[in-house]
Amino acid sequence: MTQPPVAFTPPIGVDGAPLLVLGPSLGTSTILWEDVVPALAANYRVTAWDLPGHGGAKPATEPFAVGEVADAVAAGIGEFDGPALYAGVSFGGAVGLELLLRHPGLVTAAATVCSSPRFGDPANWTDRAAQVRTQGTGSLIVGAAQRWFAPGSIERRPVLAGRLLHSLRDADDASYALCCEALAQYDVTARLGEIEVPLLAVFGEHDEVSPEAHASTIAAGVRDGRTARIDGASHLAPAEFPDEVARVLLDFFGGAR
């Protein structure tokens, strides 16, 4: 089986500095991290990647698991000078946990942002996959706006919020559905204790998709975990409060060296 297609941005930042890899939430693209990258790039070489059929990545042509996306990301990291630091939002956070489990030694410290060790009832994901196959990703925009952004976030950052919702509309329908089916099968709860590297579980104050309880489960389950809250944020904290997300990541990765 071929690896699902992902696409990396060219690294920017400090030559010779540690590599920091940023992962996306389902339905978004690398623009999710756009306003966080400048602060991170002052200390690191920063690259971000896109899910299959999202942003700059080619569409997927066959089913895949979250762990197989992690394998593809690991292959991409291998093309840069490693090892790497890693931070991922939602699906990207799930990929980060799978990276730590499947490729020990490749990532020296990681942050899950608005993410979970398991994303709810698998039937909800298979239902969403079926909806997208018949109605397209555009049918998800209203619900996504409600889940992704806390009250006031769209009004405060309308341009970026609009671009992110457009990235959902523009995502390849089949690839998005395959991502949903991968999330339906994803559950690393029982394996968190195998993760030894320092891990920060960041959660948004108003996030109902991956609430504080999910971050606490991750932090308590790994061997060296902690949590951080982004006040006022919902599920796309890097877009809603980029400065605060940059601060907690810089504090964490700086102490994890």
Side-chain angles (χ1 to χ4, degrees), residues 213-237:
H214 293 200
S216 296
T217 296
I218 294 171
V222 301
R223 301 189 190 183
D224 182 6
R226 66 209 76 171
T227 63
R229 185 174 89 166
I230 305 300
D231 290 339
S234 186
H235 196 55
L236 296 189

Side-chain angles (χ1 to χ4, degrees), residues 43-121:
N43 294 76
Y44 301 101
R45 289 180 300 133
V46 182
T47 180
W49 61 271
D50 280 324
L51 285 161
H54 292 63
K58 296 178 180 179
T61 58
E62 55 186 294
F64 53 82
V66 174
E68 290 167 326
V69 179
D71 293 343
V73 171
I77 292 173
E79 297 180 6
F80 305 111
D81 293 331
L85 304 165
Y86 183 88
V89 181
S90 195
F91 195 120
V95 168
L97 293 176
E98 289 279 18
L99 269 176
L100 297 175
L101 292 167
R102 296 166 73 97
H103 300 274
L106 183 63
V107 174
T108 57
T112 60
V113 182
C114 305
S115 193
S116 304
R118 176 180 184 269
F119 289 92
D121 185 346

Side-chain angles (χ1 to χ4, degrees), residues 49-191:
W49 61 271
D50 280 324
L51 285 161
H54 292 63
K58 296 178 180 179
T61 58
E62 55 186 294
F64 53 82
V66 174
E68 290 167 326
V69 179
D71 293 343
V73 171
I77 292 173
E79 297 180 6
F80 305 111
D81 293 331
L85 304 165
Y86 183 88
V89 181
S90 195
F91 195 120
V95 168
L97 293 176
E98 289 279 18
L99 269 176
L100 297 175
L101 292 167
R102 296 166 73 97
H103 300 274
L106 183 63
V107 174
T108 57
T112 60
V113 182
C114 305
S115 193
S116 304
R118 176 180 184 269
F119 289 92
D121 185 346
N124 292 336
W125 292 109
T126 56
D127 289 347
R128 190 188 297 187
Q131 176 182 340
V132 167
R133 286 194 173 99
T134 57
Q135 302 177 45
T137 56
S139 67
L140 303 176
I141 288 178
V142 173
Q146 295 169 345
R147 291 190 304 271
W148 284 359
F149 302 107
S153 287
I154 292 177
E155 293 78 7
R156 190 175 63 255
R157 312 201 78 223
V159 174
L160 184 57
R163 290 172 65 206
L164 285 164
L165 292 169
H166 276 86
S167 73
L168 171 60
R169 183 200 63 190
D170 294 341
D172 176 66
D173 293 340
S175 299
Y176 186 101
L178 290 170
C179 286
C180 291
E181 289 164 349
L183 288 175
Q185 301 299 318
Y186 162 78
D187 185 353
V188 297
T189 308
R191 298 191 62 195

